Amino acid sequence: MTEILHSFINDLRALQAEIDALLADSDNPLDTLPAKVDQHNDVLSRLFAHFEELNQEIDPETLTFLRATQSKIANWTTQAIEARDETRQNLLKLAQGRKARRQY
């Protein structure tokens, strides 16, 4: 594995750890999450461009890492959808509560 490849993978691992920490912290407003996910996607794009530029196949170790990354992205997406749905429900309850107070 080349030094550049190690750098990409280390960057991805660091970003994944930051994203996981953000999602695990229930008190975090997640305002920095989109930027971290964008950074992660940018590093992934550069990694694939690196492989394309070298015109080489992905080694098994990197392929295993990328499959795990794909799984992480799927988990983050699921968590984001759940958080969005929970926020919608909370906003709906607040709106219904305001409407009920105005009626009485």
Side-chain angles (χ1 to χ4, degrees):
M1 201 181 306
T2 67
E3 187 176 322
I4 293 172
L5 185 56
H6 275 293
S7 176
F8 283 130
I9 290 177
N10 288 338
D11 290 348
L12 287 168
R13 284 189 175 131
L15 286 165
Q16 288 173 1
E18 287 181 54
I19 292 168
D20 285 338
L22 286 171
L23 289 170
D25 183 1
S26 60
D27 293 332
N28 190 308
L30 302 178
D31 53 348
T32 59
L33 183 61
K36 292 295 178 191
V37 172
D38 285 345
Q39 280 181 294
H40 186 273
N41 289 336
D42 180 55
V43 174
L44 267 178
S45 295
R46 289 187 286 137
L47 174 63
F48 285 115
H50 173 72
F51 279 114
E52 191 173 303
E53 184 180 294
L54 295 177
N55 197 21
Q56 80 182 59
E57 290 188 25
I58 300 174
D59 62 274
E61 181 182 345
T62 304
L63 190 57
T64 299
F65 172 76
L66 290 173
R67 285 189 178 129
T69 296
Q70 184 178 19
S71 176
K72 280 195 165 288
I73 291 170
N75 288 337
W76 297 336
T77 302
T78 300
Q79 286 179 288
I81 290 169
E82 289 170 357
R84 181 197 65 201
D85 290 345
E86 182 179 324
T87 299
R88 279 186 181 163
Q89 288 299 317
N90 289 339
L91 291 173
L92 181 62
K93 287 176 187 175
L94 287 171
Q96 288 171 340
R98 286 186 197 125
K99 183 178 178 183
R101 276 190 300 233
R102 275 189 261 133
Q103 290 177 350
Y104 291 106

